[in-house]
Amino acid sequence: MKLRDAIEHYVAWRQAHGVKFVTARNLLRQFLQHADGDAGCDAVTCAQVQAFLAGTGPVTRHRENKNYALAGFWRYAISRGYALSSPLPESERRPPLQAPPHIYSRDQLQRLFDPDHIDNALQGSRQLDSATFRTLLLMLYGAGLRFGEATALTLSDVDTAEAILTIRDTKFQKSRLVPVGPQLAGILDTHLSVRPVNGVAESATSFLLANRDGTRLSSSTVQTAFDRLRRVADVHGRAGGRENPRLHDLRHSFAVHRLMAWYRQGADVQRLLPALSTYLGHSDLEGTKVYLTMTPNLLAQASLRFARYAGGGSDARP
């Protein structure tokens, strides 16, 4: 089978399993600029792969994404008999382990959400305003949303009276309802009344979180603002973890903090995990279970629970 056709078969196969697969699909199609798409899969050379992955210095997220896309495709191609072996260099077949997500402390979160810090970080910004940026950050943490889910919300997706968000067409092409707490519902209600959209006609399909001209927030604009905010708020990573905590780590922090709260309340965490998984929009429990071992504090809470259980204390279950 031709390389080009094999790639399209792989993309269709992944998407049939409920994954959008947009980034990897685009990267695999870009790879065809380095290899002959009309030749067989085994005609691809190691040099062509290296040219596509080319980069010097530390491994970037973009290079990792290209690596994962190619590695996944060749595993598929070999399993289907489209290729006999992978052309990826041995050193690239197992990308370096990514640093674990950063779990923000309560103090770090307070500094990130501080209106003065946000105002300082956005000095000179022409599109993104402070109120919108702060509301976005609070949603990523307070509701555990993905960036794309939060920025895709329209006015019709937000019901502040019932404190419900409708998340449409998510990572796994499913929609879900996300209830939010009264504090976040109040913040959203306030945001709806002061949205700084200048001279733009509003409708039910208008973005909840928009630039001043009504357009959807872009990841590059928000990431630049968040990098500045981290510096202004003096928020850094920890030894053995990420040097620069990410915007997406707000979602991870939401999940870990929720689990820690359940442990402290003496709740049946194993029974509640499926509920957290559904809330976060995970396709299965494996994506949620990883949070159980993510921080020393969480492990300490789990150990304390087990000690009480073993000793027949108040947390014991029949």
Side-chain angles (χ1 to χ4, degrees):
M1 178 177 286
K2 294 179 180 179
L3 174 63
R4 178 177 290 104
D5 295 335
I7 286 175
E8 294 307 318
H9 278 224
Y10 175 57
V11 170
W13 178 74
R14 289 301 305 269
Q15 292 179 336
H17 284 76
V19 181
K20 286 186 176 180
F21 209 59
V22 174
T23 299
R25 178 201 66 194
N26 292 341
L27 289 173
L28 289 170
R29 289 174 178 172
Q30 288 173 21
F31 177 65
L32 294 175
Q33 298 173 13
H34 298 266
D36 184 358
D38 292 323
C41 295
D42 282 327
V44 175
T45 67
C46 182
Q48 289 171 329
V49 170
Q50 288 177 318
F52 177 64
L53 297 175
T56 59
V59 177
T60 64
R61 182 65 181 272
H62 185 55
R63 181 186 170 99
E64 285 181 354
N65 287 341
K66 291 194 287 187
N67 191 347
Y68 281 120
L70 288 182
F73 167 70
W74 252 278
R75 284 194 298 271
Y76 170 84
I78 293 170
S79 71
R80 295 299 191 277
Y82 303 154
L84 296 176
S85 61
S86 170
L88 272 73
E90 190 64 36
S91 60
E92 299 284 356
R93 295 183 189 182
R94 291 190 178 183
L97 293 176
Q98 295 184 10
H102 177 81
I103 305 304
Y104 293 101
S105 67
R106 300 291 181 180
D107 178 64
Q108 287 180 327
L109 290 171
Q110 287 179 350
R111 298 203 301 272
L112 287 174
F113 300 152
D114 186 307
D116 290 336
H117 289 161
I118 290 174
D119 285 343
N120 289 336
L122 288 182
Q123 283 184 5
S125 175
R126 295 182 179 179
Q127 282 281 43
L128 181 60
D129 70 280
S130 297
T132 299
F133 187 33
R134 186 169 188 269
T135 302
L136 170 64
L137 298 179
L138 289 168
M139 290 182 69
L140 296 179
Y141 174 71
L145 300 182
R146 301 178 178 95
F147 176 81
E149 292 173 347
T151 58
L153 286 170
T154 64
L155 299 184
S156 63
D157 295 329
V158 183
D159 185 342
T160 55
E162 297 295 329
I164 293 286
L165 303 177
T166 300
I167 310 299
R168 306 180 191 278
D169 193 23
T170 67
K171 180 178 180 181
F172 298 100
Q173 297 181 328
K174 296 179 181 179
S175 297
R176 70 185 191 278
L177 298 178
V178 174
V180 299
Q183 229 180 342
L184 183 55
I187 290 167
L188 292 175
D189 203 30
T190 299
H191 179 71
L192 286 169
S193 65
V194 298
R195 292 173 70 251
V197 179
N198 299 329
V200 179
E202 296 267 78
S203 70
T205 59
S206 297
F207 291 114
L208 170 70
L209 302 169
N211 290 308
R212 288 188 173 93
D213 62 0
T215 57
R216 181 174 176 174
L217 300 182
S218 71
S219 59
S220 58
T221 298
V222 174
Q223 187 58 59
T224 298
F226 187 71
D227 289 341
R228 291 175 180 167
L229 176 60
R230 275 194 298 97
R231 292 192 292 270
V232 170
D234 194 28
V235 171
H236 307 285
R238 297 184 179 89
R242 291 184 177 274
E243 180 181 351
N244 297 318
R246 303 166 302 170
L247 195 65
H248 191 63
D249 290 331
L250 290 169
R251 171 176 160 89
H252 294 308
S253 300
F254 161 82
V256 169
H257 290 168
R258 181 68 265 164
L259 288 168
M260 288 177 65
W262 280 340
Y263 272 117
R264 288 168 178 161
Q265 294 163 6
D268 187 342
V269 175
Q270 292 297 329
R271 181 181 63 81
L272 290 169
L273 269 180
L276 180 59
S277 183
T278 300
Y279 188 91
L280 290 169
H282 286 161
S283 60
D284 54 50
L285 270 177
E286 295 307 311
T288 312
K289 284 182 178 178
V290 67
Y291 293 120
L292 291 173
T293 58
M294 195 158 283
T295 69
N297 285 339
L298 188 54
L299 289 173
Q301 290 295 325
S303 298
L304 180 61
R305 162 68 74 81
F306 180 76
R308 289 174 178 168
Y309 174 81
S314 60
D315 281 330
R317 297 287 188 270

